[in-house]
Amino acid sequence: MKNTDVALICGSNAAENHPVSFSWLSEAREKRGAKIIHVDPRFTRTSARSDIYCPIRSGSNIIFYSGMINYIFENQRYHKDYMLHYTNATFIIKDEFNFDDVTGLFTGYDEAKGAYADRSSWDYVRDENGDYVRDMTLSHPRSVYQLMKKHYSRYTLEKVAAAAGAPIDKLEQVYEIYSSTGEVGKAGSILYAMGQTQFTSGSQNVRCMAIIQLLLGNMGIPGGGVNALRGHSNVQGSTDMALLFHLLPGYLPSPNEGLGTLEAYNATTPAAPAWWANRPKYIASLLKAWWGNAATPENEFAYGWLPKSKVGKNYAHIALFEAIHAGEIKGLISWGQNPVVAGPHHNFSTKAMEKLDWLVVLDPFENETAAFWKRPDANPSDIQTEVFLLPPSTFLEKEGTVTHSGRLIQYRWKAVDAPGNCKHESYVIDSLAKRLKQLYASSTRPEDEPIKALTWDYPDPDRDHRGFIDAVMKEINGRDLTTGKQMSGFAALQDDGSTDCGNWIYSGMYTETHGNRTQSRVLDDPGGWGAHLGWGFAWPANRRIIYNRASVNPETGQPWSEDRRYMWFDNATNAWGGYDIVDGGAALKDDNGNLNPPFIMMTERVGKLFSPTTGLTDGPFPEHYEPYESPTDNIFNGRQNNPAHYSGPVGSLDKGDRSQYPIICSTWRVCEHWHTGATSRNMPWLAELMPASFVEMSEELAAEKGIKNGETVEIFNARGVIKAVAMVTPRNGVFNVNGQNTHQVGLTWHFGYQGLVTGDIANILTPHVGDANTAIPEYKAFLVDVRKVNA
Amino acid sequence: MTRMARLIDITRCTACRGCQVACKNWNQLDGEIGEFTGTYQSHIDNSPGRWTMIKFYEQKKPTGLEWHFRKNCCMHCGDPGCVKACPNNALKKADNGAVIRIEENCIGCGYCVPHCPFGIPKIDEQAEKMKKCSFCYDRISNGMQPACAKTCVPRAIVYGTWDEMAALAEERLVQAKEHYPNSIIYGKDELDGLGVIYILPDSPDQFDLPVNPTLAPTLGLWKDVVHPFGNFVLGASIVATGLAFLFSRRKAFEAKESAKLEEGGYHDEQKND
């Protein structure tokens, strides 16, 4: 990020919540005169330190970005050669594909199912050989380029300003400056976080950024990138290791009952030349890691023992709490989480928990989840849940790796012992596994085989915590089972059972030659781009910028600009040189003289402006839909809400109308507190920084309601009512949305009823709906009203 | 020993409060959980247990809204008013520039309080001591940075020799002016140079800082003239009183002796003494 010329922060409060990331932007400003742009409903500490601030109302991300896409097309700000050769702009799309702005739907929608059941029209035209058909002149009306240009032509500057409630001059200034990075040699970086993702169209919000960065040629170059600032110190590690229901480690899909055999599973493998075509090697190696010698070619490496989800069933957070409500789930382990404070629609979700037979909570403090049975308005004598609170050691008291937003895996050493009876989580998981195995050891039931056969031969973590971590890391890296040696990387993994690997993308982090590379702390930085290849290990293969072959001119193999000399192809040696690990070792061109394109994970091997059938479930192009609860109508198409968004069947019915609740509300974080405040509200040095839950509101709204700064107010909607202290500030404004003055308020979600400082739970107000693809709850835009508390 | 200083460039500060917590951490000061102050600012001011804090300034300007954050702590002045005011030698200017307290000499009298142009000294009524930022004297005397400078991620707080910080201030001023044309350096010339040199985006009075900080003209008078003179006078008075007593005793004795000789009743008076 220090290499950027323009940084756009949208859907993030980087200076507050990711201060280190912001300090690199600061360095870019200091050393290269970079500009920092902040687009956000509130004027935050990020806005205070940015060069340009543009307000937009919460829920208008796709409006804002679509306006930028339109601006880029109208003013031809794209990096033309990059677009021609490294994206699917030139690809021809099937005639059957269409978007109807009257209905607001793409082709293939099933109203009864609430989903795009048939996405076959979202696809490329093929020639008689099965190859893509392309028009390099970009004039074919069915080319992605022309389809996009038409699709985004509706997002004019005037309409965008009106619908987003943004000042039109600021909007244009932002578009002009950011799109200047389309110029060859310039780099633009987009930083985002939950302000992009936590919407019913969150995934499409993210697609917008990918599209813009591809149009401007900002992918694969230093200072470019779509830079997710992850919401938790090791959430990257957790998603890499698949603590998500739909994945297996390394972003392999987790199977449903429809894929009963390994053969069926492997039949869904993306076709070569996509790098994903290697997937069968990764699943076989994963199964070998888990079941060792019990996983054989004969039994499909024990694929049958993998739990299978029900076809079409969702197991995301909202779905889990709906299932608890429905009595389907009787026990819950809440491990390093505080869903009572962090989950949406608190009243529905926490009431549902009263039906649980048992609850296990792992947290250094008795958090709100552990104390749910004695929360305000609970009647403990009515609740039969047996609650176990296990005290784990915290991040300074244990060791292991953390993976950050840059995919960098860094080992951390234990600094101090945990107090009292606190135990490492490695002890807890090890004990759980061993006891389960013991419990089922003499069982003859087929369903108990997976647990019986699970390999679990690590050192005892209670006696040798470091040794346990070390053994697990070695397994995650993977081994050649014929020699017992550590794999040097995933390229050598096999599908025949001769290798094991707990996570293919981490393979290479612990090798015979280098040992545990996540512990490496070499500062050298040849080229000065900040690659620091000797510091930690970045997946995949220690590559720091992915798709870095897109940083060269496809004709010459030389960097697009000598100002950004990062990777290059040497025709004499037929090899790549540069300051990073080249992304895909293939030569610049194949034997027929055709380019080997750089986006190696995709079947198309180019970046996708149009996302076809196998991409997102709610459309090949991002399209604006209003949040589930919105103060205004969708002016861009005839469909108010995302037609495929996820709705908790019962909880989503608690929906408010703008006639009763006209104010937009959002939830967000601050630097001083951590997530649900389970740790920070128990630490005096942090608790004293922000001792009260406050609701930010504009001076105009406060005047309308007769509210004074510091006064306790109630914020209420269809799902509940909370109190907070009013923070009346000019940093919140009024939005003129489609001609209507619209207020927006917001609060942190850091407060709960436990700890040294307490406050009402903000998630009492948030809805039980989520993104069409991920089901991430729409925490960022919903409706409320505000009133003074009657004395 | 070279004079050391901190540069505090508030155009870089993001008000993360890392410095506020690092100071508490290093000095093992207790948290003081209070009430909502109306803004993000944690408390109204420093306290005996809070030696630094960030003060928040929302400013509506013709060019747009601005929000600035100033770290408030002892300036370790070149000409420290507190040192002059202290009647008990509980404050001194160390060779490395730190204005440090001599704990055992402090009686918590509060004389330093009105003589600091920046309102820094705070009296701990219970302990009867004044408390303030020590410039992490223990750290800097051992070649380490102050805790606040060490933790500052955006390098808004920088530590080095006074000359280095003064030079860096000039560089930072150029960058600050790009966004805030009225930016100034505060602390290079004031009070023989402050141990904290600020980059401010605008005039000091907008950030609760005195535009031209001066010490009371009588302050030097007190410490350098009146106080020593007073001591002298006190000493002289004691001596004079003693002498006067001796002289008056002799005179009374002589008077008595004269009276006795006149009356002739010498023996009777002796018995009654």
Side-chain angles (χ1 to χ4, degrees):
Chain A
M1 291 193 288
K2 71 171 186 176
N3 304 309
T4 199
D5 292 306
V6 185
L8 170 62
I9 304 169
C10 177
S12 151
N13 189 355
E16 290 193 39
N17 297 322
H18 292 88
V20 176
S21 75
F22 195 82
S23 72
W24 288 113
L25 297 187
S26 243
E27 177 154 333
R29 181 161 49 194
E30 184 185 359
K31 301 270 164 62
R32 341 169 36 95
K35 291 268 175 281
I36 303 174
I37 303 172
H38 189 221
V39 176
D40 201 279
R42 307 154 56 216
F43 187 100
T44 66
R45 286 175 275 190
T46 300
S47 328
R49 291 284 81 86
S50 296
D51 297 297
I52 301 166
Y53 166 69
C54 178
I56 59 170
R57 55 118 173 166
S58 209
S60 62
N61 305 43
I62 293 180
I63 299 171
F64 167 74
Y65 276 125
S66 298
M68 191 185 292
I69 294 171
N70 187 41
Y71 184 93
I72 290 171
F73 275 103
E74 283 195 336
N75 297 283
Q76 287 159 58
R77 306 284 272 188
Y78 39 70
H79 179 165
K80 184 135 185 236
D81 283 331
Y82 188 108
M83 189 176 65
L84 282 175
H85 297 285
Y86 294 156
T87 76
N88 64 3
T90 57
F91 288 43
I92 309 301
I93 302 298
K94 286 182 173 171
D95 282 337
E96 300 92 300
F97 164 74
N98 190 38
F99 173 75
D100 179 351
D101 66 348
V102 172
T103 61
L105 295 170
F106 296 97
T107 39
Y109 188 67
D110 185 326
E111 193 73 54
K113 292 185 180 159
Y116 285 99
D118 174 17
R119 309 204 291 266
S120 58
S121 63
W122 308 356
D123 205 356
Y124 308 110
V125 169
R126 307 279 182 153
D127 65 18
E128 57 281 359
N129 300 322
D131 296 328
Y132 305 114
V133 178
R134 299 170 72 169
D135 171 25
M136 300 308 277
T137 70
L138 300 175
S139 55
H140 194 300
R142 299 299 297 174
S143 64
V144 167
Y145 176 88
Q146 291 293 344
L147 288 172
M148 264 191 87
K149 195 165 171 212
K150 179 160 170 262
H151 191 87
Y152 292 103
S153 62
R154 289 168 295 130
Y155 293 88
T156 62
L157 210 52
E158 292 72 25
K159 282 181 82 174
V160 167
I168 195 169
D169 55 340
K170 264 278 164 343
L171 212 54
E172 190 167 11
Q173 188 190 21
V174 169
Y175 290 168
E176 198 269 313
I177 292 178
Y178 193 72
S179 66
S180 73
T181 64
E183 194 186 309
V184 175
K186 294 286 183 200
S189 183
I190 305 184
L191 284 70
Y192 75 97
M194 305 304 105
Q196 271 280 72
T197 60
Q198 287 175 343
F199 292 98
T200 43
S201 291
S203 302
Q204 294 290 356
N205 287 349
V206 177
R207 274 274 296 138
C208 288
M209 300 180 299
I211 287 171
I212 285 168
Q213 292 296 69
L214 286 170
L215 288 175
L216 297 176
N218 283 330
M219 293 307 298
I221 64 172
V226 170
N227 293 316
L229 303 176
R230 306 280 335 237
H232 175 287
S233 332
N234 198 21
V235 65
Q236 185 66 50
S238 82
T239 57
D240 293 345
M241 292 305 296
L243 268 71
L244 290 173
F245 73 93
H246 66 299
L247 295 176
L248 294 174
Y251 302 100
L252 305 176
S254 85
N256 59 39
E257 287 174 340
L259 299 173
T261 63
L262 183 60
E263 198 186 326
Y265 182 88
N266 282 337
T268 68
T269 305
W275 187 269
W276 269 123
N278 291 297
R279 219 181 65 191
K281 302 171 186 172
Y282 309 147
I283 183 74
S285 301
L286 179 69
L287 293 167
K288 286 297 285 181
W290 289 0
W291 282 293
N293 294 331
T296 64
E298 291 70 39
N299 68 12
E300 292 199 312
F301 306 112
Y303 173 85
W305 288 341
L306 272 179
K308 311 287 189 301
S309 55
K310 300 254 175 272
V311 177
K313 188 170 165 123
N314 194 305
Y315 297 80
H317 181 106
I318 291 177
L320 286 182
F321 281 83
E322 293 269 349
I324 294 172
H325 171 86
E328 283 174 40
I329 294 178
K330 304 309 288 177
L332 180 68
I333 303 180
S334 176
W335 192 314
Q337 285 205 42
N338 197 1
V340 161
V341 179
H345 200 348
H346 163 93
N347 287 341
F348 172 85
S349 307
T350 308
K351 187 76 187 158
M353 284 174 64
E354 295 183 1
K355 299 182 187 181
L356 291 170
D357 289 341
W358 53 266
L359 170 68
V360 178
V361 177
L362 276 92
D363 203 288
F365 295 95
E366 187 191 34
N367 65 21
E368 284 77 5
T369 299
F372 89 98
W373 55 274
K374 50 179 176 169
R375 69 193 189 280
D377 3 300
N379 193 350
S381 56
D382 290 344
I383 301 170
Q384 305 307 310
T385 316
E386 193 171 358
V387 180
F388 301 86
L389 178 60
L390 303 182
S393 56
T394 68
F395 67 102
L396 294 167
E397 299 158 350
K398 60 184 177 182
E399 52 195 73
T401 65
V402 166
T403 307
H404 76 32
S405 299
R407 292 169 284 102
L408 182 65
I409 311 166
Q410 295 177 94
Y411 196 90
R412 290 190 182 171
W413 289 266
K414 177 178 149 186
V416 289
D417 285 328
N421 286 330
C422 291
K423 289 285 204 189
H424 294 309
E425 288 154 286
S426 52
Y427 165 79
V428 177
I429 194 83
D430 181 73
S431 304
L432 200 56
K434 283 176 171 152
R435 291 200 192 192
L436 283 170
K437 286 173 70 63
Q438 206 173 26
L439 194 65
Y440 291 110
S442 55
S443 166
T444 52
R445 299 188 315 173
E447 58 266 38
D448 299 335
E449 289 299 305
I451 292 174
K452 285 175 67 178
L454 196 65
T455 57
W456 201 271
D457 46 15
Y458 312 110
D460 180 346
D462 207 29
R463 277 197 291 255
D464 185 5
H465 168 59
R466 180 173 287 178
F468 176 89
I469 299 297
D470 191 70
V472 172
M473 281 194 74
K474 282 179 159 155
E475 180 184 277
I476 293 173
N477 179 84
R479 295 159 296 213
D480 179 333
L481 297 172
T482 60
T483 61
K485 299 242 185 266
Q486 294 295 108
M487 298 300 292
S488 56
F490 54 78
L493 291 174
Q494 301 299 324
D495 65 0
D496 60 5
S498 62
T499 57
D500 75 358
C501 178
N503 187 340
W504 74 276
I505 58 177
Y506 279 29
S507 192
M509 73 170 174
Y510 201 146
T511 64
E512 293 296 330
T513 334
H514 299 286
N516 188 338
R517 298 172 77 178
T518 69
Q519 296 181 347
S520 170
R521 296 289 183 269
V522 175
L523 261 179
D524 298 2
D525 187 32
W529 295 106
H532 300 289
L533 295 180
W535 188 288
F537 180 86
W539 69 262
N542 204 25
R543 189 169 293 127
R544 304 304 163 118
I545 295 181
I546 37 183
Y547 299 136
N548 54 44
R549 282 198 286 138
S551 66
V552 307
N553 180 310
E555 267 317 296
T556 62
Q558 294 309 299
W560 289 108
S561 158
E562 280 308 301
D563 289 339
R564 287 183 184 277
R565 190 170 176 78
Y566 192 69
M567 306 298 295
W568 53 86
F569 187 73
D570 186 342
N571 282 299
T573 57
N574 217 42
W576 288 87
Y579 299 111
D580 202 343
I581 310 298
V582 68
D583 199 347
L588 180 69
K589 296 183 183 170
D590 64 19
D591 296 329
N592 298 323
N594 297 319
L595 179 70
N596 279 321
F599 287 81
I600 63 169
M601 296 306 288
M602 320 286 157
T603 313
E604 305 91 328
R605 293 188 298 158
V606 291
K608 292 182 281 197
L609 300 171
F610 179 96
S611 170
T613 318
T614 50
L616 296 186
T617 61
D618 52 345
F621 286 138
E623 175 64 19
H624 174 69
Y625 299 100
E626 288 292 326
Y628 190 62
E629 289 182 346
S630 168
T632 193
D633 291 330
N634 187 352
I635 65 166
F636 295 97
N637 64 64
R639 188 90 182 186
Q640 176 70 0
N641 300 123
N642 185 312
H645 76 266
Y646 178 75
S647 267
V650 179
S652 68
L653 300 174
D654 298 317
K655 183 180 184 181
D657 187 74
R658 69 179 83 137
S659 58
Q660 290 176 286
Y661 313 108
I663 300 175
I664 305 172
C665 187
S666 192
T667 59
W668 27 265
R669 285 173 275 193
V670 291
C671 188
E672 292 76 4
H673 281 298
W674 180 253
H675 285 207
T676 65
T679 48
S680 58
R681 285 185 295 106
N682 274 305
M683 295 195 62
W685 292 336
L686 295 176
E688 66 169 346
L689 296 177
M690 280 184 170
S693 176
F694 57 92
V695 55
E696 281 190 1
M697 66 177 70
S698 67
E699 295 173 325
E700 292 87 344
L701 178 62
E704 254 181 55
K705 303 264 181 187
I707 291 171
K708 291 193 173 40
N709 190 33
E711 184 181 327
T712 302
V713 295
E714 285 183 344
I715 310 115
F716 60 100
N717 69 6
R719 290 171 289 281
V721 53
I722 62 171
K723 286 192 173 64
V725 162
M727 184 184 285
V728 180
T729 168
R731 295 180 294 101
N732 282 223
V734 189
F735 297 100
N736 187 322
V737 179
N738 295 325
Q740 183 95 350
N741 272 349
T742 309
H743 292 293
Q744 176 163 341
V745 300
L747 333 87
T748 76
W749 49 277
H750 295 309
F751 286 84
Y753 43 81
Q754 299 284 93
L756 296 175
V757 296
T758 60
D760 285 351
I761 292 173
N763 275 310
I764 285 172
L765 303 172
T766 51
H768 228 222
V769 295
D771 176 68
N773 293 277
T774 63
I776 192 171
E778 192 159 58
Y779 292 113
K780 293 288 178 183
F782 50 93
L783 292 179
V784 298
D785 200 355
V786 178
R787 64 186 168 219
K788 291 168 76 81
V789 171
N790 292 322
Chain B
M1 238 246 92
T2 328
R3 184 182 181 191
M4 306 306 286
R6 281 172 289 186
L7 173 72
I8 299 182
D9 179 356
I10 81 165
T11 67
R12 289 259 189 131
C13 176
T14 59
C16 71
R17 263 74 84 83
C19 55
Q20 198 168 329
V21 176
C23 178
K24 290 238 171 177
N25 182 352
W26 180 256
N27 295 297
Q28 288 291 290
L29 301 167
D30 288 336
E32 297 168 320
I33 296 171
E35 303 283 309
F36 179 67
T37 61
T39 69
Y40 281 28
Q41 194 166 307
S42 60
H43 305 80
I44 305 301
D45 198 4
N46 289 14
S47 76
R50 180 170 50 260
W51 301 351
T52 194
M53 62 176 288
I54 301 294
K55 295 203 166 183
F56 287 70
Y57 302 91
E58 277 174 3
Q59 299 173 333
K60 292 180 193 171
K61 298 201 162 160
T63 43
L65 183 64
E66 288 179 20
W67 200 18
H68 295 293
F69 322 112
R70 181 176 68 80
K71 174 171 145 64
N72 187 54
C73 60
C74 176
M75 303 291 233
H76 300 279
C77 305
D79 182 14
C82 58
V83 172
K84 283 188 165 141
C86 179
N88 228 33
N89 288 319
L91 282 158
K92 88 171 209 181
K93 180 99 177 139
D95 289 339
N96 59 16
V99 173
I100 53 174
R101 299 170 41 244
I102 295 147
E103 183 79 9
E104 53 274 20
N105 292 354
C106 180
I107 54 172
C109 69
Y111 276 31
C112 50
V113 175
H115 291 293
C116 170
F118 309 104
I120 292 300
K122 300 293 177 198
I123 304 302
D124 181 342
E125 301 290 351
Q126 224 189 0
E128 292 179 340
K129 299 281 180 191
M130 183 278 274
K131 300 284 170 78
K132 71 170 188 72
C133 159
S134 65
F135 202 174
C136 272
Y137 186 67
D138 47 357
R139 291 179 62 94
I140 67 175
S141 302
N142 283 286
M144 296 195 280
Q145 298 185 61
C148 56
K150 182 157 173 71
T151 204
C152 182
V153 169
R155 293 190 356 112
I157 308 169
V158 188
Y159 169 76
T161 69
W162 196 94
D163 288 336
E164 282 171 346
M165 295 302 95
L168 181 60
E170 296 294 344
E171 283 176 38
R172 291 286 188 94
L173 182 68
V174 172
Q175 287 170 35
K177 279 189 162 158
E178 278 181 26
H179 198 59
Y180 304 109
N182 297 339
S183 293
I184 59 162
I185 297 173
Y186 182 91
K188 272 181 85 173
D189 304 311
E190 292 77 356
L191 294 173
D192 290 355
L194 302 178
V196 167
I197 300 173
Y198 277 113
I199 303 291
L200 300 175
D202 217 319
S203 60
D205 54 299
Q206 294 184 35
F207 303 104
D208 296 330
L209 289 168
V211 177
N212 272 320
T214 49
L215 305 178
T218 51
L219 186 59
L221 195 67
W222 166 257
K223 189 102 181 196
D224 301 329
V225 178
V226 172
H227 192 188
F229 180 69
N231 286 343
F232 168 73
V233 167
L234 185 66
S237 315
I238 293 168
V239 170
T241 307
L243 288 173
F245 178 73
L246 289 172
F247 281 127
S248 69
R249 283 284 297 175
R250 227 177 122 192
K251 255 214 153 159
F253 187 68
E254 282 170 0
K256 255 199 207 159
E257 293 300 302
S258 310
K260 282 185 191 106
L261 287 171
E262 277 171 21
E263 288 173 19
Y266 192 83
H267 286 290
D268 287 350
E269 280 169 9
Q270 274 193 314
K271 275 182 201 152
N272 289 337
D273 280 349

